[in-house]
Amino acid sequence: MLDRFRQALQRRLDTLTGQNTPQPAPVINLEYVDSLRTKGNAFLADEKLDAAEACFREALDHKKDDTRTLICLGYVLKEQGRLAEARIVLKRATNPVNTDPEVFEAFYLLGEICETQIDLEDAKKHFKSTLGLKPDFTRACEDVVRILRQQGRPKEAKEFLEEQVRLCPDNTDYRLMLAKACTDVFDFQGMVDHLMVAVARGVKDASINMLLGAALCRLEREDEARPYFEMAQAADPSVSHEVDYHRGYFYTRNGNARAAVELLDQSIKHKPDYLPAHSLLLLNLSHTAIELNRSYKEAAQQFARVAESTYLPLPTLPAEVVDIDTKVLRVGFVSGEFREHPVYHFLVGILEQIDKTRFHLVAFSNNQLDDAPTATFRTLFSEWHDVQHLNHAAVADLVREQRIDVLFDLSGHTGDARLPVFARKPALVQVAWLGYFASTGLTTMDYIIADAACVPKDSDEWFSEKVIRLPSTRLCMTIPRTTRPIPVTPTPCKSKNYMTFGSFQQAAKINSQVLRVWANVLESVPQSRLRIQNKALDSATIANKLCADMTRAGIDLTRVDLFGAMGWEEYLEAHREIDILLDTFPYPGGTTTAFALWMGVPTITLRGATMLSLQGVSMLECVRLTEWIANSEAEYVNIAKRFACDTDALDLLRHQLRAIAESSALFDCKRFATELECAIRVMYQEKLSALAAPQTHSDTHTP
C-alpha cells in the first residue's frame, strides 16, 4: 500500500515540476554517426579493437538503435572474446520491429557466437534466421549444414538444402552443396542430378566432372562416366589416379577383379602414396592373387611402406608395471560399420557378453550414416567417439588421449577403413579382426585374430601380424533377432518335386569359374532350379551382365530366378524357397552362410588355400557339416548331386540344423566372449613383457 502511495505521489510531483512534459526528440546528426562508424571500421581494419569500440559506442550515444553500428560493435566484442556482451548488443539489433535489411548480419554473428559457446541449436536457429532474411547467403547455409553433420543428422542436412535450392534455384553453390549431401546418405542418383544441373549452368571444374564420373560408377553406369572422367583429366591431369581408382571400384563391385587390379595398379603408378587405391587393390588380391599370379604379401608390404612413412608412429608408450589379472583394460574398436552391416551381426552378441567390470569398451565410429543398429551399438560401449570428420592423425591422437590399451581394427582394407590410424601406433596393442580376412600388411599391427581352420598350422607367413588362433572360431554369429517368429519350414523340394539351389552372395563374388561349376551342378541334377538373390540385381546393368555370364557358362536361363533386395526378415524367410545353398569361391560367404544354417539350409563350400577362401570351411566345421566341404570342383558337384538325391535326409537335417547351429561355437556368444577376453589379456601381457625386456632384436612377426 505504501509503495503504491509513494509511486502516485512521485508521478504527481513530476507533473508539477514539468518532468513528465513531453520533450522534443533530440536532433540526430546522421553524418556524424556515419563518420564515427567509418572511423571505427578503419580502426577495425588495423586491428585496433579498443579504438574501434570507442567509436562505435560514441555513435550509439547519438543513435542508440542504429543497426549497422550495433552489428559493428557486436563484431568487435566477439573478436575481443567478450561473447556475453556481444550477444546483448546484437540482440538489440535483432529486435522484431527492426526492418533494416542489414540485420541479417546480426543474426549471423549471433550464430557464430553460439557455435563458439557450443550452443549448436541456438547457432543453427540464428543461421537459419539469417537465411530467412537473405536466402542466398551461402556462408550461413554452409554453417547450418556443417552443424547438422556434426550432430549426425545428414538426412536433415539434405532436406534443408533441398529447401534452399527450392528458394534459390539459380544458386549453383547450393546445388553443389546438395550434391555433397546426397553422397552423405548414399543418394548417388541425386548427386548426379544436381551436379549435372551445375554443369549445364556453366560450372567448369575438374573436380565436378570427377565427382560425376564417380557417382555414375556407383550407379553401375561406367560407360556414361567415362566422358566426365576424360573432361576431368583434360582439365587437370593430376586427377588421373582418382579416375583409375573409381573405375577400379566399379569393376571390383562387378566381380571383374582382373580389370580392377589393372586400373588400381595404374592409379598407384600415377600417385604411389594414394592409400585408397592400395587398399582396394589388396581387397581384390585377397581372393584373386593366385589366379592373377600376384603376391598379396608384396602388395601389403607396399601399402605398409607408404602408410607408415606418411603417418609416422607416435612415441613409444612406456612400460607399465601392472597386475594384469586386476587391471581393467581399456579396449578400443575402430570401425565404419557400427550400423546395418555383417559386422553388426557378428559383433553385437559378443559385446553384450564381455565382462564390463574387467574391460572398458570404447568405440571410435567412422560411420558415414547411423541407423537403428548404431543405437544398439552405443548402448554396448562405455564411451563413444564419432571420428568421421577427423583426419587419421587426429583419430590417432584421440586414441592416445583415451589411454587405450588394446585397439581393434574391424575394417581392414574394406569400406571406411582407418588403417593409417594404426600406422601411427597410438595403442600398446593393435589387433586386426572380424571385418577383413587377410593381413593388413602393417608392421604396427601386432596381432590378427584367426582360428585353426582358416589359418592352418604353418600358414603364419601369410601375415605381417602375429596370428592368435582362438580355440573354436574367429567368427561368432549373433542369433537373429526378429520382430516375429521365423520358423524353419520343410525343405521345399518335398512339395515342389524339384531341387532349388540358391545363392545370396554379392554379385562381385559370382565369377565365371563359379558359374561354370554351378552349370555342372544343374546338369547333374536335371530336376533343379537356381535362385540367385542380392541387392545388386536391382540394377538392370548388373542383372543383364550376370545373365550374359550365365549363358556363356552354359546355364539355361529358363531354370534361373533372380531377385533383388528384400527386407531383413523377408530375406530370412526367402530361405524357405531353397533346399541347398551353393557357396562362391575363392570368395565364400560369411554372414549368408551363418544365416542359412540358422534357417536350416546347408551350404556346399569349396576348400581354398587362404584365410578368406577357408572361411566357409571354418564355419561348416563348427556345425559338424564336414560332408558339405568339397576339396575340388568335381567333389563340389558330386556333393550337390548326392544330397539332392536323398530328400528325406535333407529334410531331416533341415529340421535339426537350427538347434545344432545355436549350440555350436558359431553361435555361442558367451563362450566366444570368454575366449576373446582371454586372448586380449594374453596379447596385452605379451606386449608388456616385450616392452619391458631388453630390445636386442626386432619383433618376430614384423616382415
Side-chain angles (χ1 to χ4, degrees):
M1 177 66 75
L2 287 174
D3 285 342
R4 287 198 297 274
F5 180 78
R6 289 191 188 103
Q7 291 168 8
L9 181 59
Q10 184 62 53
R11 286 195 297 271
R12 180 61 178 163
L13 288 171
D14 289 343
T15 301
L16 290 172
T17 58
Q19 293 186 33
N20 274 354
T21 303
Q23 301 295 315
V27 177
I28 299 173
N29 187 337
L30 295 179
E31 289 185 3
Y32 184 59
V33 171
D34 288 343
S35 68
L36 284 170
R37 191 169 56 248
T38 300
K39 186 178 179 181
N41 282 325
F43 283 131
L44 188 58
D46 292 336
E47 298 183 0
K48 297 177 180 178
L49 299 184
D50 291 342
E53 179 188 353
C55 288
F56 296 140
R57 288 196 182 278
E58 184 179 351
L60 289 171
D61 287 340
H62 292 276
K63 189 180 180 184
K64 66 177 182 179
D65 292 320
D66 182 64
T67 300
R68 280 169 287 178
T69 307
L70 286 169
I71 291 170
C72 290
L73 178 58
Y75 178 80
V76 168
L77 293 170
K78 178 178 80 73
E79 292 300 294
Q80 291 174 322
R82 296 155 64 185
L83 302 184
E85 293 178 65
R87 288 183 77 158
I88 292 171
V89 169
L90 292 167
K91 283 286 187 181
R92 283 172 56 191
T94 59
N95 188 301
V97 300
N98 189 351
T99 59
D100 190 315
E102 300 298 319
V103 74
F104 76 91
E105 293 189 40
F107 281 109
Y108 185 77
L109 289 173
L110 280 169
E112 288 192 318
I113 291 169
C114 289
E115 188 171 4
T116 301
Q117 295 176 320
I118 321 297
D119 186 352
L120 297 186
E121 285 303 318
D122 256 11
K124 190 168 56 181
K125 179 186 73 176
H126 290 307
F127 290 140
K128 286 185 175 181
S129 295
T130 304
L131 290 165
L133 295 168
K134 190 173 177 58
D136 62 346
F137 190 14
T138 301
R139 193 166 57 181
C141 183
E142 291 172 339
D143 290 328
V144 173
V145 172
R146 187 187 66 256
I147 289 173
L148 286 169
R149 285 186 178 134
Q150 288 175 356
Q151 293 176 322
R153 295 150 76 175
K155 289 182 180 177
E156 286 185 45
K158 178 173 176 282
E159 292 167 358
F160 167 75
L161 284 166
E162 287 170 342
E163 176 63 13
Q164 293 306 116
V165 166
R166 187 187 68 78
L167 293 171
C168 304
D170 296 329
N171 189 314
T172 303
D173 288 337
Y174 287 178
R175 288 277 179 184
L176 298 177
M177 291 165 64
L178 179 52
K180 170 64 172 65
C182 287
T183 67
D184 292 340
V185 296
F186 305 105
D187 178 9
F188 294 112
Q189 184 58 57
M191 180 182 179
V192 167
D193 293 342
H194 295 295
L195 288 178
M196 283 186 169
V197 170
V199 170
R201 290 182 177 167
V203 175
K204 293 182 179 179
D205 189 316
S207 64
I208 299 301
N209 288 318
M210 171 65 64
L211 290 171
L212 259 172
L216 287 165
C217 279
R218 294 299 192 275
L219 293 169
E220 315 301 336
R221 293 152 59 184
E222 195 256 354
D223 288 343
E224 295 177 55
R226 289 188 187 184
Y228 293 102
F229 284 145
E230 290 168 1
M231 286 188 284
Q233 287 176 292
D236 183 3
S238 69
V239 302
S240 294
H241 67 287
E242 290 186 71
V243 170
D244 291 331
Y245 170 79
H246 289 299
R247 293 188 62 213
Y249 184 90
F250 167 79
Y251 284 110
T252 298
R253 279 176 52 90
N254 281 269
N256 189 342
R258 187 177 297 277
V261 166
E262 289 175 0
L263 285 162
L264 294 166
D265 279 339
Q266 193 67 22
S267 176
I268 293 169
K269 182 178 178 181
H270 287 306
K271 189 173 175 58
D273 62 349
Y274 189 48
L275 290 176
H278 284 277
S279 283
L280 193 55
L281 174 66
L282 287 168
L283 178 61
N284 279 277
L285 292 180
S286 67
H287 58 280
T288 61
I290 296 174
E291 175 189 350
L292 299 179
N293 194 30
R294 292 284 295 268
S295 168
Y296 179 92
K297 187 174 183 179
E298 288 180 7
Q301 290 172 336
Q302 183 184 17
F303 164 81
R305 283 193 293 271
V306 174
E308 293 172 5
S309 62
T310 305
Y311 297 93
L312 298 175
L314 294 167
T316 302
L317 291 165
E320 279 189 278
V321 178
V322 299
D323 183 345
I324 190 64
D325 293 324
T326 60
K327 177 179 170 63
V328 177
L329 291 178
R330 295 178 61 83
V331 183
F333 294 82
V334 180
S335 179
E337 288 78 41
F338 291 128
R339 53 185 172 81
E340 180 53 51
H341 185 275
V343 165
Y344 169 77
H345 299 286
F346 281 110
L347 183 61
V348 67
I350 298 165
L351 293 179
E352 289 173 342
Q353 296 295 331
I354 286 181
D355 185 350
K356 306 304 190 301
T357 65
R358 303 182 69 217
F359 298 89
H360 186 86
L361 305 184
V362 183
F364 299 92
S365 172
N366 195 44
N367 284 2
Q368 302 301 304
L369 192 64
D370 291 345
D371 55 17
T374 305
T376 300
F377 270 125
R378 282 179 178 271
T379 66
L380 300 175
F381 288 94
S382 299
E383 296 180 47
W384 184 278
H385 300 278
D386 286 307
V387 300
Q388 178 194 353
H389 298 292
L390 298 181
N391 62 35
H392 298 310
V395 177
D397 290 341
L398 177 61
V399 171
R400 179 63 65 91
E401 289 168 9
Q402 291 296 312
R403 298 176 290 107
I404 300 301
D405 298 306
V406 181
L407 187 66
F408 279 86
D409 167 59
L410 303 180
S411 299
H413 291 285
T414 70
D416 301 311
R418 283 291 200 151
L419 286 178
V421 171
F422 290 78
R424 292 275 285 162
K425 198 67 166 76
L428 175 65
V429 181
Q430 302 193 152
V431 189
W433 175 53
L434 189 57
Y436 193 56
F437 23 71
S439 176
T440 64
L442 292 174
T443 64
T444 53
M445 191 71 78
D446 302 297
Y447 300 96
I448 187 167
I449 300 292
D451 58 54
C454 67
V455 182
K457 188 178 179 181
D458 302 325
S459 299
D460 291 26
E461 64 182 88
W462 297 347
F463 304 94
S464 60
E465 306 86 353
K466 181 174 181 178
V467 179
I468 296 291
R469 293 177 178 83
L470 297 184
S472 305
T473 171
R474 68 176 285 267
L475 298 174
C476 184
M477 170 61 71
T478 305
I479 293 175
R481 296 163 183 185
T482 57
T483 61
R484 62 178 185 272
I486 301 183
V488 173
T489 56
T491 186
C493 64
K494 301 292 284 184
S495 58
K496 294 182 177 180
N497 296 318
Y498 62 83
M499 183 66 49
T500 301
F501 296 105
S503 170
F504 291 105
Q505 303 291 12
Q506 299 173 21
K509 297 182 182 183
I510 306 174
N511 56 48
S512 58
Q513 183 184 11
V514 167
L515 291 175
R516 187 175 65 250
V517 172
W518 288 1
N520 292 337
V521 168
L522 292 173
E523 183 180 2
S524 70
V525 186
Q527 296 299 313
S528 66
R529 296 188 62 79
L530 176 61
R531 176 189 170 110
I532 302 177
Q533 178 179 325
N534 61 63
K535 65 180 180 180
L537 293 177
D538 287 331
S539 163
T541 301
I542 293 181
N544 292 336
K545 177 183 179 298
L546 178 59
C547 287
D549 291 344
M550 286 191 289
T551 299
R552 280 192 292 271
I555 294 176
D556 181 357
L557 296 184
T558 64
R559 297 174 64 185
V560 178
D561 300 301
L562 301 181
F563 294 86
M566 289 185 178
W568 154 242
E569 292 177 346
E570 289 73 21
Y571 158 71
L572 291 176
E573 290 174 330
H575 289 80
R576 296 170 178 173
E577 305 300 320
I578 297 171
D579 297 290
I580 296 173
L581 276 183
L582 301 177
D583 209 353
T584 48
F585 51 87
Y587 195 157
T591 315
T592 52
T593 300
F595 284 152
L597 293 170
W598 189 75
M599 288 303 300
V601 182
T603 295
I604 303 171
T605 195
L606 179 63
R607 186 185 299 275
T610 64
M611 182 178 187
L612 173 59
S613 61
L614 286 165
Q615 182 169 267
V617 172
S618 174
M619 298 178 84
L620 292 185
E621 286 185 351
C622 277
V623 295
R624 305 191 302 278
L625 291 186
T626 55
E627 290 182 309
W628 293 80
I629 300 170
N631 294 303
S632 66
E633 293 180 7
E635 188 177 359
Y636 186 108
V637 175
N638 288 334
I639 290 172
K641 182 178 180 180
R642 182 170 77 251
F643 285 108
C645 292
D646 192 346
T647 58
D648 289 338
L650 192 61
D651 190 57
L652 178 62
L653 175 62
R654 190 182 189 92
H655 286 89
Q656 295 174 337
L657 196 48
R658 177 174 290 184
I660 293 172
E662 289 186 351
S663 63
S664 74
L666 186 60
F667 283 85
D668 190 343
C669 291
K670 185 173 183 179
R671 171 181 172 184
F672 187 96
T674 300
E675 294 175 353
L676 184 63
E677 289 174 1
C678 180
I680 290 172
R681 290 201 174 272
V682 166
M683 291 184 288
Y684 184 72
Q685 181 64 70
E686 187 172 282
K687 290 300 291 184
L688 273 186
S689 300
L691 199 61
Q695 299 297 305
T696 57
H697 56 80
S698 61
D699 290 342
T700 58
H701 64 277
T702 301

